[in-house]
Amino acid sequence: MQHRSAEAQDRDEPTAGAQLMVERDETPGSAVSRRAVLGLGVVGLGVVGAVGAGMSGALDLWPGRATATPEIPDGAANLTGGHPIATKPPASVADWRAGGPPFYIAHRGAGIVLPEHSLEAYHAALDWGATCLEISIGMTSDGVLICLHDATYDRTTTLTGPVAEQPSAVLAKGRIDIPRLGPRWQGDGRPQIPLLDDVLAQIGPHAILCLEAKDDNAFKPMMKAAAAHGLNGRIYAKLHLPATARVAQARAAKVPIFMYAGTATDLAPARLDPVLRDLDRARDVIVLPAVVDNAPIDPRIVSRVVGRGVPVWMYPVMRRSEALHFLSLGAQGLITPDIGYVSSTTASAQADTWAKGALASGELTRFPYSEKFGVRWGDPATDAGVIRLDVPGESSYLLLGQLCPVAPPDGSYQLEFDYRFDAPATPEHALTVAFGRADDRYVGPTAEAGSTGYRVVLRPDGYAALLADDGGTTPTRRTLAQASIEPTPVDVPVPGWKRLGIAVTPTSISVSRAGVEVLKSTHTAYRGGYVHIGRDGRRGPISLRRVRVTTPGDPRGAQA
């Protein structure tokens, strides 16, 4: 039996070391700068349904699924405008595409918020407005089709070894196991590895499915299973370029093609152009990688492929700024593992969900699919509701996207959280809060071209500063205020939890610790709504808990 190489299996993964940096179109009223807030909230962890402004009780707009579904006004736009979130499932691929771009495709369900390729993640994607999902499929040695990204069980489950070399009987004791997502998804909370038949039955009636056979031998059985469920008019066949044999099989079944070009070699005109000529512009799509060889894809490549006329979808799209960037280049589809956040169908929250042992939609590390860059979780018995920033040998930042954009009517808000230095004092690491950012691009320790906003920096040796990052071709960083608070000698443990507060008004910024103001500035240039919390330096973990955003007159803030 032939298996794809490890390189081929993982070539649609974001590559460590690459960071997508984009420029934002700030033209007032431009299509790519619009953001319509739908006013939708999420119950609990956001898995069992959405409620919020505009709800009129628990609606069952998708028969057969017991879930509260948000009532969305006719014509309500998502993040980018132009394509309303559907209030009913599309009848066919043609029906779905007739709605016009942009198209949002849920990757691995909600694969960076809930355990990837679990029924829980697929249902969460539907609850967040997904009308199209990408599904990866393997086949056991006795011919049972399952939903799993890799050819082996090792990375995402409690089982080990190749899927194709073991019978389906092993599934009874296997569970999906992704520790970075939190203790909610550990122990008895670990989901089962789903059978494709169950996914087609539960998810197929409610969304378009992009089906990918990870094993060549699974392709024909996968297509047969979709047909048995009456889904041939509601699926794409996801293929990796050039996939000549599978193209013929998909054409014979009259199924449109989702063609993925995942490497620099695939993107070369001599290899890609013949494939583009053979794709049907009215039915098929070409998928381009956001990252190629450790660097963001050259926008000229995207524009060139867009110009060939076949609809272009981009993968992976983790952030709203990335979505705006690719749509501005002419891409029509965005393949995202956090569809609720990227499409803005989840409302901005005012507090973290860490006490529930889970991440919220919009909480993003540098590489959200990476265990290395994932947050560390406190022991539920002794440190419930605590996360730790501790990437070995590197700085570590977390986007608090679930709170963003912080956009109070009068421009005033307060961000508060508890922090704890979990290592003896050293000038080599610091807690950093980056706020006032215009968009959600990843914030690292250095000033970056085009990125503006503020930083509060606290070191365990007592140094504190309020800084301004001034973007531009040659970015600069200015110190607006600094102080020394409770100095701690180097290599001496820093005692206990401290509460940090950052109060922003239209005319000032005030930073307090334990209720006492320690830094202040009247700088007013940057009032963007995106926030990161980070640990600078190569060593020294920092723990966080009880994040809150409060705004004047907001009753939710008073309850936080």
Side-chain angles (χ1 to χ4, degrees), residues 193-212:
I193 302 165
L195 304 182
L196 176 62
D197 192 60
D198 291 337
V199 172
L200 295 178
Q202 293 187 38
I203 308 300
H206 311 295
I208 301 303
L209 301 182
C210 301
L211 302 180
E212 177 190 14

Side-chain angles (χ1 to χ4, degrees), residues 85-466:
I85 299 296
T87 56
K88 63 180 180 179
S92 65
V93 169
D95 175 54
W96 181 66
R97 288 183 61 159
F103 302 103
Y104 292 92
I105 301 90
H107 189 248
R108 308 186 196 179
I112 58 175
V113 187
L114 289 84
E116 64 179 66
H117 288 304
S118 64
L119 276 167
E120 289 85 345
Y122 296 147
H123 279 295
L126 292 180
D127 291 338
W128 292 342
T131 52
C132 183
L133 289 83
E134 176 265 1
I135 311 288
S136 297
I137 297 153
M139 188 168 70
T140 63
S141 62
D142 53 347
V144 174
L145 298 172
I146 65 172
C147 297
L148 195 73
H149 179 271
D150 298 355
T152 68
Y153 289 111
D154 301 62
R155 181 179 64 86
T156 61
T157 81
T158 57
L159 302 175
T160 60
V163 173
E165 295 179 7
Q166 301 176 68
S168 58
V170 303
L171 299 173
K173 61 181 180 180
R175 292 293 185 271
I176 302 174
D177 184 34
I178 305 177
R180 71 174 185 276
L181 298 179
R184 161 65 180 84
W185 304 109
Q186 293 294 288
D188 292 341
R190 291 178 295 195
Q192 293 182 313
I193 302 165
L195 304 182
L196 176 62
D197 192 60
D198 291 337
V199 172
L200 295 178
Q202 293 187 38
I203 308 300
H206 311 295
I208 301 303
L209 301 182
C210 301
L211 302 180
E212 177 190 14
K214 291 291 186 176
D215 181 332
D216 278 336
N217 292 297
F219 185 77
K220 287 184 178 180
M222 175 190 81
M223 299 292 286
K224 183 177 180 180
H229 282 267
L231 298 177
N232 266 8
R234 301 171 54 80
I235 66 170
Y236 280 94
K238 180 182 175 183
L239 310 177
H240 286 258
L241 189 146
T244 306
R246 291 192 188 181
V247 168
Q249 292 167 349
R251 292 277 187 252
K254 298 182 179 179
V255 171
I257 292 168
F258 169 128
M259 181 65 76
Y260 183 67
T263 67
T265 300
D266 290 341
L267 297 173
R271 180 174 172 85
L272 183 58
D273 286 359
V275 174
L276 292 173
R277 284 194 294 270
D278 289 341
L279 292 178
D280 185 332
R281 297 182 182 186
R283 288 167 47 84
D284 303 332
V285 299
I286 184 75
V287 179
L288 304 182
V291 174
V292 182
D293 290 344
N294 298 333
I297 189 171
D298 188 329
R300 293 172 296 182
I301 294 176
V302 179
S303 297
R304 189 188 78 82
V305 177
V306 166
R308 299 305 302 269
V310 177
V312 172
W313 294 357
M314 299 301 303
Y315 162 83
V317 178
M318 311 280 194
R319 298 171 185 264
R320 293 167 178 167
S321 54
E322 296 170 3
L324 295 172
H325 171 65
F326 289 125
L327 291 171
S328 74
L329 295 175
Q332 294 189 15
L334 305 168
I335 303 172
T336 172
D338 192 352
I339 196 168
Y341 172 72
V342 171
S343 68
S344 298
T345 57
T346 52
S348 296
Q350 291 200 303
D352 65 75
T353 59
W354 303 335
K356 297 175 181 177
L359 295 174
S361 174
E363 288 186 289
L364 300 173
T365 61
R366 184 180 179 189
F367 299 112
Y369 270 131
S370 167
E371 287 293 331
K372 173 184 175 180
F373 286 89
V375 300
R376 278 49 172 171
W377 291 85
D379 186 330
T382 59
D383 256 347
V386 174
I387 67 164
R388 185 170 295 113
L389 303 179
D390 187 22
V391 177
E394 299 196 39
S395 296
S396 172
Y397 281 74
L398 177 69
L399 171 70
L400 300 178
Q402 80 278 30
L403 310 179
C404 302
V406 180
D410 72 346
S412 299
Y413 66 90
Q414 179 152 319
L415 171 68
E416 296 180 285
F417 62 91
D418 296 339
Y419 70 94
R420 182 182 68 195
F421 291 109
D422 295 326
T426 168
E428 297 177 10
H429 80 289
L431 168 71
T432 297
V433 185
F435 64 101
R437 305 278 157 168
D439 61 34
D440 65 351
R441 74 185 73 186
Y442 181 76
V443 171
T446 60
E448 295 159 347
S451 181
T452 60
Y454 302 106
R455 294 173 188 255
V456 170
V457 177
L458 298 178
R459 290 202 313 241
D461 63 2
Y463 173 80
L466 174 61

